[in-house]
Amino acid sequence: MSEHVIDIRQLSIKFGDHLALDKIKVQIESGDFVAIVGPNGAGKSTLFKVLLGLLQPTEGQVRIFDEPAYRAPAQWIGYVPQMKTLDRSFPAQAVELVLTGLNRRWPWRKEKSEYKKAIEALEQVSAEHLATRPVGRLSGGELQRVCLARSIVRQPKIVLLDEPATGIDAIGEADMYRLLEAYQKQSSATILMITHDWHAATHHADNVLLLNRKKISYGPPSVSLAEDNLRLAFGHIGHKHELKFLMK
């Protein structure tokens, strides 16, 4: 058995002649909060697709609890997509959106046991009062809470979040991180978060995976987000005082 929750071994992904990820090697421990940082096109979303079993490696392998990622049971992983991918005009209630996290399909019939689990997940993120509210009437912060409830309704040991702070205000963002950290403490879950926010990565992550198709760095924020590493990942980012401003 591997001692790592996620073990990425020389992972490469090619789309035709395009190399999206090049020999990525990372081991992620149980209970870690990992921020994945890099420029657009760095391969961050591609890595998530591999972890979710939606994409198989061109070379190398990814193992989750010592199983190939594409064979990992769905209940092991919760996923919060970017909110811009959700159709908020769909006539559905918040609790119905949470229920899709149980069976990966729309709940045309609500079983009592499943409905109870969905309400409990909403309670975990302090959003039970939103259960019957139409999705289209949720604020950005409320929708993010509902999406977080959807991701944890199976009580997964791994949670993947793709740009979770996009579209929510500062108060909503602070609430989201508080709820995430509470779930992590309660469940010992491992959290991976794609973000462009270096400030969030610095203050919330145990480790940062800095990517630009290749692994630039993996380690504590103070190491991975050091100026030399950021220049390797992003190219020219300006003078030192500009870098300090970006990191605030």
Side-chain angles (χ1 to χ4, degrees), residues 192-247:
L192 280 73
M193 174 182 73
I194 293 174
T195 182
H196 284 94
D197 186 343
W198 301 348
H199 177 85
T202 300
H203 288 86
H204 297 286
D206 300 307
N207 290 294
V208 173
L209 173 58
L210 186 61
L211 276 182
N212 192 352
R213 300 186 186 177
K214 295 184 177 183
K215 181 183 78 174
I216 306 299
S217 181
Y218 181 72
S222 59
V223 174
S224 284
L225 297 178
E227 182 178 353
D228 288 349
N229 287 332
L230 289 170
R231 290 187 187 280
L232 284 173
F234 290 89
H236 179 70
I237 55 174
H239 302 291
K240 286 187 177 181
H241 72 275
E242 293 173 323
L243 176 63
K244 290 177 181 178
F245 175 77
L246 288 169
M247 291 293 291

Side-chain angles (χ1 to χ4, degrees), residues 146-200:
V146 172
C147 288
L148 184 56
R150 178 185 182 276
S151 75
I152 65 173
V153 69
R154 291 187 178 198
Q155 300 297 297
K157 288 297 184 181
I158 299 171
V159 180
L160 308 181
L161 303 105
D162 191 350
E163 293 286 352
T166 301
I168 60 177
D169 61 22
I171 294 175
E173 183 178 355
D175 283 345
M176 179 196 67
Y177 286 119
R178 178 179 57 80
L179 293 166
L180 265 179
E181 288 163 0
Y183 178 73
Q184 186 180 35
K185 183 177 180 180
Q186 171 257 316
S187 65
S188 299
T190 302
I191 295 174
L192 280 73
M193 174 182 73
I194 293 174
T195 182
H196 284 94
D197 186 343
W198 301 348
H199 177 85

Side-chain angles (χ1 to χ4, degrees), residues 4-137:
H4 310 293
V5 171
I6 298 173
D7 193 352
I8 302 170
R9 307 176 185 177
Q10 300 299 323
L11 171 66
S12 294
I13 298 288
K14 289 187 76 174
F15 300 108
D17 293 331
H18 174 66
L19 187 61
L21 290 172
D22 185 12
K23 293 182 174 60
I24 305 298
K25 182 179 179 182
V26 177
Q27 287 79 42
I28 297 173
E29 305 296 334
S30 176
D32 272 3
F33 192 135
V34 177
I36 302 174
V37 176
N40 292 333
K44 303 183 296 295
S45 295
T46 298
L47 177 58
F48 265 23
K49 288 178 182 177
V50 176
L51 292 171
L52 290 165
L54 302 175
L55 190 64
Q56 291 199 35
T58 305
E59 296 178 14
Q61 60 178 305
V62 175
R63 302 184 74 84
I64 296 174
F65 292 110
D66 214 30
E67 288 286 339
Y70 65 90
R71 290 213 306 250
Q75 64 266 27
W76 287 1
I77 302 176
Y79 174 52
V80 180
Q82 291 188 31
M83 286 200 296
K84 66 183 181 183
T85 65
L86 298 172
D87 182 3
R88 297 182 65 173
S89 67
F90 192 78
Q93 295 179 342
V95 69
E96 293 172 324
L97 184 58
V98 177
L99 283 165
T100 65
L102 283 171
N103 299 312
R104 300 297 190 268
R105 58 178 172 79
W106 197 256
W108 301 110
R109 290 171 49 185
K110 300 185 185 73
E111 301 292 338
K112 286 185 177 180
S113 60
E114 293 181 346
Y115 188 86
K116 181 181 178 183
K117 288 180 181 178
I119 294 297
E120 288 172 349
L122 286 166
E123 288 174 349
Q124 277 191 273
V125 298
S126 303
E128 64 274 17
H129 63 289
L130 302 174
T132 59
R133 187 174 298 180
V135 170
R137 289 178 50 201

Side-chain angles (χ1 to χ4, degrees), residues 136-150:
R137 289 178 50 201
L138 298 173
S139 69
E142 290 170 341
L143 180 59
Q144 193 61 283
R145 285 187 182 222
V146 172
C147 288
L148 184 56
R150 178 185 182 276

